[in-house]
Amino acid sequence: MGLKLDMNKAYDRIEWDFLRAVLLKMGFAEIWVEKVMNCVSSVEFCVIINGKAGGGFKPSRGIRQGDPISPYLFIIVSDVLFSMLNHAAARGFLKGLSFGRRGLTLTHLFFADDSLLFLKATSQNCRVVSQILKSYCKASGQVVNLEKSNLFFSPNTLAEVKEEMRAALNVNITDDPRKYLGLPTIYGRSEKEALAFVKEKILHKVQGWKQSLLTQAGREVLIKFVAQAVPSYPMSVFSFPIGFCKEIDSILANFWWGHNQEANKIHWIIWKDLGLPKKEGGMGFRSPRDFNTALLAKQCWRLMMEPDAFWAQLIKSRYFPNNDFLEAKKGARSSWAWSSLLAGRDVIANGARWQVLDGSRTKLWTDKWIPCSPDRLLLPKLGVEVNEEEKVETIINPSTCVWNVNAIDRQVNVRDACLIKALPLGDGTEADRMVWPFNRDGSFTVKFGYNLIIQASHNSNTSSPSGSWTIDKSLWKSIWNSKLVPKLKKNLWRICKGCLSTRQALHRRHLGPSPLCPLCGEFPKFEEHLFLLCNWVQGVWFGGPLCYNINRQSITTFGE
């Protein structure tokens, strides 16, 4: 069973004497504790009645909400309940959920004032939990809100057992614990339905903005820093379905091009091209699918770099107890979160490499560890039998911690042998570690991971374009680095991309009767003609005191 606890007025009920005692018990200096308690106890309130402040009064307990130090003090107080539950579980009084026969046991999860307990549905567990909560609340001043707290049971729990547990804890039973820390705890077969709240939030943000009052420069800022930031937290846990990501793209594309309830607007450029970096002619809008993968890859990196963390040990004991994370299988009954992690693992596997220090963890032939090699995989000499489980330590002298030159020359081809001999080794005290070669400090970041995904996708989908339509990257840099106001930068970008509503563009989309210019009536009205070639615009653009003129015969594209 799962027990979700809700504390009533959590900050306002903390007893000051209890807070002082806990701080002293944890070993904080007495003079520091007194300074903290002076900050806590110096508060004074007054009630505003009919617009006028009444007499002030001082409280006798509680910590102020909004004070920067209050969350830390509350966590210190909550650590008492955390320790009481740990102590009861260690002595066998509480039976939690076991992850495998030799795995860890989970009894509780705390985050600020949100508390989750995971226990076997037995009367003894209920008695122990009730006693612990009663003692903690009596000492700290906290009170459990029984109306907002609830119990959740696994599907195979008998109805009479559920009723017995409910009566013992005096807490309501629920079939859906709803959200925990902003994410759904229970979801059905439809992942899109579980993520419906994300779509609603994005729609709320987009529909709340006054589109008619915003230029495209303003829409760009709001899309990048508000709308695309909404799903970042769920994306770091769950892999979004492809169809759901397309729905998000559709919402943002409609907002970018100015859709409203009264009229639809033309999408002059597909949203995928707008996702390209600005230096390549796009607008730099993040792809939800690729950004989702980069965020999941960051969690995979944490899982590999923090193997001793409790959450990492739980996942290992549940899904890959006998092998490494990079070798773990999905399994037949994998959860949505575990399947999502595996989706991000491919980014790590393709981009990361091993840094050899003592050679104990890196596989000689199958792991990527040669930095200057094209695929970073070692190639053997002709006739040499390869053992896939052989480690790099077999070609290292264990006594001197230097490369065994004879073993290298005997097994490895000449090119790779020279690369290996140039690699530095550790002093034998540190084990091999995984590094991200695209970052200076060797750590994975979402930014570098996302750029790697985008680059790989762009390279695989890009065909060689015609030279007459290719725009040099230096032009895009000149536009975005210019000192023009953002609105004019957007206009130049739109002209070069050919996404203005000229007569020719409208006629091509069957939205105009004729593509000819209404001023001269001779040539189709496209961007080059509108701004550079039409006889009428010569006096408008080039008739000023600058006396600037151009060779109209040499104009092929506005970009040139």
Side-chain angles (χ1 to χ4, degrees):
M1 66 180 183
L3 173 60
K4 185 178 180 180
L5 296 176
D6 183 87
M7 295 297 179
N8 189 17
K9 303 291 184 182
Y11 276 39
D12 299 335
R13 291 181 174 272
I14 293 178
E15 296 288 351
W16 292 345
D17 293 340
F18 180 75
L19 175 59
R20 178 186 284 106
V22 172
L23 292 174
L24 293 174
K25 183 68 175 178
M26 287 187 168
F28 291 103
E30 186 173 352
I31 185 173
W32 184 86
V33 172
E34 292 303 322
K35 289 182 178 181
V36 170
M37 295 309 301
N38 287 335
C39 295
V40 173
S41 59
S42 61
V43 63
E44 184 175 351
F45 298 109
C46 66
V47 180
I48 297 178
I49 304 175
N50 296 330
K52 296 182 179 180
F57 62 92
K58 289 190 175 183
S60 60
R61 63 179 179 178
I63 54 179
R64 285 176 282 187
Q65 297 199 34
D67 193 316
I69 200 175
S70 294
Y72 298 97
L73 297 178
F74 184 81
I75 290 174
I76 290 175
V77 171
S78 301
D79 190 66
V80 176
L81 177 59
F82 191 90
S83 300
M84 295 173 72
L85 293 171
N86 274 341
H87 183 67
R91 298 182 64 181
F93 297 136
L94 278 180
K95 301 294 183 181
L97 302 184
S98 298
F99 286 73
R101 295 182 178 180
R102 299 181 181 179
L104 300 178
T105 300
L106 176 64
T107 55
H108 52 283
L109 293 176
F110 279 22
F111 186 84
D113 59 340
D114 291 322
S115 308
L116 284 177
L117 275 65
F118 301 96
L119 306 167
K120 290 186 177 180
T122 62
S123 56
Q124 179 186 351
N125 280 339
C126 292
R127 277 196 309 271
V128 174
V129 169
S130 298
Q131 293 173 1
I132 291 176
L133 291 177
K134 184 178 180 180
S135 301
Y136 170 73
C137 292
K138 183 178 180 180
S140 65
Q142 298 281 287
V143 175
V144 178
N145 190 337
L146 299 178
E147 294 183 356
K148 292 186 177 181
S149 302
N150 52 60
L151 273 170
F152 175 78
F153 293 91
S154 57
N156 60 346
T157 307
L158 300 177
E160 52 268 24
V161 176
K162 294 181 181 180
E163 181 59 28
E164 181 184 356
M165 301 300 105
R166 186 204 64 77
L169 294 172
N170 196 21
V171 175
N172 296 326
I173 299 176
T174 181
D175 294 331
D176 185 4
R178 299 184 182 276
K179 295 179 183 178
Y180 179 71
L181 303 182
L183 295 179
T185 53
I186 301 296
Y187 49 86
R189 294 187 176 182
S190 176
E191 297 174 354
K192 293 179 65 175
E193 292 182 3
L195 296 171
F197 71 99
V198 176
K199 183 178 177 180
E200 292 176 1
K201 285 184 178 180
I202 295 176
L203 283 172
H204 177 72
K205 297 290 186 182
V206 170
Q207 294 173 353
W209 299 332
K210 304 298 182 181
Q211 297 185 13
S212 59
L213 302 178
L214 292 175
T215 63
Q216 280 199 330
R219 292 174 189 163
E220 176 192 0
V221 174
L222 291 172
I223 288 175
K224 288 183 177 180
F225 298 102
V226 180
Q228 291 192 329
V230 168
S232 296
Y233 177 54
M235 280 182 173
S236 64
V237 181
F238 298 120
S239 177
F240 284 22
I242 297 178
F244 188 79
C245 293
K246 290 182 179 180
E247 291 180 9
I248 295 177
D249 284 340
S250 178
I251 294 172
L252 299 180
N254 289 338
F255 174 72
W256 167 254
W257 294 112
H259 278 242
N260 52 51
Q261 297 178 353
E262 299 177 355
N264 294 330
K265 300 293 184 178
I266 299 175
H267 292 210
W268 296 100
I269 304 175
I270 62 174
W271 187 255
K272 185 177 180 180
D273 289 346
L274 290 176
L276 294 175
K278 285 189 172 182
K279 63 182 181 181
E280 297 181 11
M283 286 304 303
F285 294 131
R286 289 198 302 256
S287 165
R289 182 67 177 174
D290 295 334
F291 189 63
N292 185 193
T293 304
L295 288 171
L296 293 171
K298 178 64 176 181
Q299 299 292 4
C300 296
W301 185 263
R302 290 182 57 218
L303 182 64
M304 298 170 61
M305 296 297 107
E306 304 171 9
D308 297 331
F310 186 75
W311 70 277
Q313 294 183 34
L314 281 180
I315 293 178
K316 178 175 176 58
S317 60
R318 174 66 179 85
Y319 293 106
F320 54 100
N322 301 320
N323 54 5
D324 189 69
F325 172 65
L326 294 176
E327 302 172 350
K329 305 296 183 181
K330 183 177 180 179
R333 300 180 61 184
S334 60
S335 66
W336 184 11
W338 173 245
S339 302
S340 301
L341 279 177
L342 295 184
R345 184 182 63 176
D346 295 338
V347 179
I348 303 297
N350 294 331
R353 71 171 181 85
W354 285 94
Q355 181 183 13
V356 176
L357 297 176
D358 64 352
S360 60
R361 298 180 60 191
T362 308
K363 294 181 180 180
L364 182 62
W365 305 107
T366 57
D367 284 341
K368 299 177 181 179
W369 61 282
I370 307 296
C372 298
S373 179
D375 54 3
R376 296 194 293 275
L377 291 178
L378 196 62
L379 298 177
K381 277 187 173 181
L382 293 176
V384 175
E385 295 184 2
V386 173
N387 179 11
E388 294 185 354
E389 299 300 323
E390 185 178 0
K391 300 296 178 64
V392 178
E393 61 185 359
T394 58
I395 58 173
I396 297 177
N397 192 324
S399 59
T400 59
C401 295
V402 297
W403 294 110
N404 188 335
V405 178
N406 295 329
I408 294 173
D409 294 337
R410 187 169 57 252
Q411 302 180 65
V412 184
N413 66 83
V414 177
R415 186 202 66 177
D416 290 343
C418 296
L419 296 176
I420 293 174
K421 296 172 185 178
L423 286 178
L425 287 173
D427 56 2
T429 58
E430 293 183 274
D432 301 342
R433 60 185 180 184
M434 186 78 75
V435 295
W436 187 254
F438 305 99
N439 201 6
R440 288 185 177 182
D441 60 358
S443 61
F444 177 88
T445 61
V446 177
K447 176 182 177 181
F448 285 101
Y450 178 74
N451 291 338
L452 180 65
I453 297 172
I454 289 295
Q455 183 179 2
S457 176
H458 183 59
N459 292 338
S460 60
N461 297 329
T462 301
S463 58
S464 56
S466 173
S468 60
W469 293 97
T470 303
I471 297 180
D472 193 87
K473 292 182 180 181
S474 60
L475 174 62
W476 303 122
K477 292 181 180 179
S478 300
I479 292 176
W480 299 118
N481 293 335
S482 65
K483 296 182 179 181
L484 295 173
V485 295
K487 180 179 179 179
L488 295 182
K489 292 181 182 180
K490 290 291 186 305
N491 285 342
L492 277 178
W493 171 80
R494 293 189 65 175
I495 295 170
C496 293
K497 295 292 288 187
C499 56
L500 291 183
S501 55
T502 61
R503 278 202 168 191
Q504 185 193 38
L506 293 174
H507 180 73
R508 189 169 62 246
R509 290 170 171 80
H510 307 287
L511 297 175
S514 171
L516 297 180
C517 175
L519 300 175
C520 64
E522 299 179 1
F523 300 98
K525 187 180 179 183
F526 49 92
E527 286 80 4
E528 291 77 16
H529 181 81
L530 174 65
F531 288 98
L532 302 174
L533 302 179
C534 183
N535 293 326
W536 183 83
V537 303
Q538 287 289 311
V540 176
W541 301 122
F542 309 113
L546 291 178
C547 298
Y548 180 74
N549 200 2
I550 59 171
N551 182 7
R552 295 197 295 171
Q553 301 298 325
S554 64
I555 297 299
T556 56
T557 64
F558 192 88
E560 294 182 3

